Amino acid sequence: VPVVYLHEIKRQYTQGTETLTILNGAKLALWAGQSVALVAPSGAGKSTLLHIAGLLETPDDGEVYIGGAPTSQLSDIERTLIRRTDIGFVYQSHRLLPEFSALENVMLPQMIRGLKRAETVKRATEILAYLGLGDRIKHRPAELSGGEQQRVAIARAVANAPRVLFADEPTGNLDPHTADHVFGAMMQLVKATRVAMLIVTHNMELAGRMDRRVSLEEGQVVELD
Ligand code: ADP
Ligand code: ADP
């Protein structure tokens, strides 16, 4: 079964008297160990799709399956638990906590889950080292370069070993060289951990290096190439 399966997702927004249909029967399967690029123009509904697939938002119609299990009947608490254990998010800006070190930022999601401190230190240290930040763990975000900050954000997103990672333009703020480095780290992670990955990007070169490319047209997911 896919890690995430979106079935006939519908999402509308009302603006004044107008109804905007953003997603209209969107279907998408995300598989373990597969990277998928989502490439579509601004306003096409990419963020909406990510938020629905990541259980941050509920669709008006349709069903989100995580590991084959439907999620529409779950309580908010149950959805939050799935989000914490199975789902990771990376955004265009790193959204790290400025007062905390890289290590502490990566430890936080595990602490929230109730893991023992020693265990979270060990795991966070390992992930940061894996992403090439072994000598940066005591640094605060402001003491790190843009690429390093974004790699810490990725480390934090995968700290709980999620089954799926959603990234909304994770390299959008980075220069081409740094973007390439961060992107490479993400591709390595997919193969090493078998996480399913959906990355929104406008960078066609990076999209071309992923396993699969999709777009959004008239509220539906279409496969490219
Ligand atoms: P993308 O990420 O592809 O740029 P979004 O999913 O952010 O697209 O938005 C798709 C459309 O839905 C846009 O036209 C946006 O203005 C509209 N939209 C998004 N969120 C809301 C909201 N909470 N209320 C009303 N309209 C929204
Ligand atoms: P890069 O070339 O890796 O994208 P920079 O040239 O901005 O990044 O930074 C080079 C190194 O200096 C980085 O590894 C970063 O950790 C360190 N660094 C950058 N800014 C600071 C700072 N304000 N305080 C401490 N270390 C910093």
Side-chain angles (χ1 to χ4, degrees):
V1 294
V3 175
V4 177
Y5 182 58
L6 302 180
H7 182 68
E8 301 281 347
I9 298 298
K10 192 161 185 177
R11 184 73 169 102
Q12 298 183 315
Y13 294 115
T14 30
Q15 288 185 344
T17 56
E18 267 193 85
T19 302
L20 276 167
T21 302
I22 305 303
L23 299 174
N24 195 10
K27 285 188 273 187
L28 178 66
L30 301 176
W31 299 91
Q34 189 185 57
S35 57
V36 181
L38 175 54
V39 184
S42 183
K46 301 182 296 297
S47 300
T48 303
L49 186 87
L50 244 61
H51 287 158
I52 288 173
L55 306 186
L56 289 165
E57 222 183 289
T58 49
D60 299 319
D61 200 8
E63 183 65 81
V64 180
Y65 297 86
I66 306 284
T71 58
S72 60
Q73 302 303 314
L74 299 178
S75 67
D76 284 350
I77 291 170
E78 288 169 324
R79 292 161 66 85
T80 300
L81 278 175
I82 292 178
R83 227 171 26 241
R84 284 184 188 156
T85 55
D86 292 339
I87 299 170
F89 272 98
V90 176
Y91 297 93
Q92 185 167 2
S93 58
H94 56 77
R95 301 193 186 187
L96 297 171
L97 297 173
E99 299 306 317
F100 292 93
S101 69
L103 183 70
E104 289 163 340
N105 268 282
V106 179
M107 286 169 63
L108 263 174
Q110 302 170 81
M111 301 287 282
I112 288 167
R113 268 185 77 192
L115 299 186
K116 288 204 181 74
R117 188 180 165 83
E119 207 176 312
T120 69
V121 171
K122 182 170 178 286
R123 183 159 170 77
T125 306
E126 282 169 5
I127 299 167
L128 285 164
Y130 180 80
L131 290 170
L133 296 166
D135 57 351
R136 291 285 179 273
I137 64 172
K138 297 277 173 60
H139 290 54
R140 289 185 188 184
E143 297 166 338
L144 298 170
S145 71
E148 289 171 335
Q149 290 168 350
Q150 201 58 329
R151 277 182 283 149
V152 175
I154 292 164
R156 179 181 57 179
V158 299
N160 281 331
R163 294 204 276 174
V164 59
L165 184 63
F166 296 104
D168 202 343
E169 300 197 51
T171 62
N173 283 338
L174 306 174
D175 65 73
H177 175 78
T178 309
D180 199 71
H181 190 78
V182 168
F183 180 78
M186 295 180 82
M187 291 303 101
Q188 211 179 326
L189 214 52
V190 179
K191 298 308 165 196
T193 66
R194 305 273 306 149
V195 69
M197 202 176 277
L198 181 63
I199 305 182
V200 171
T201 183
H202 291 294
N203 186 324
M204 291 310 293
E205 196 266 315
L206 296 186
R209 286 158 57 190
M210 289 188 236
D211 296 319
R212 184 176 149 210
R213 286 145 291 282
V214 299
S215 188
L216 279 167
E217 284 174 20
E218 294 176 2
Q220 305 215 344
V221 178
V222 295
E223 303 283 333
L224 299 175
D225 56 45

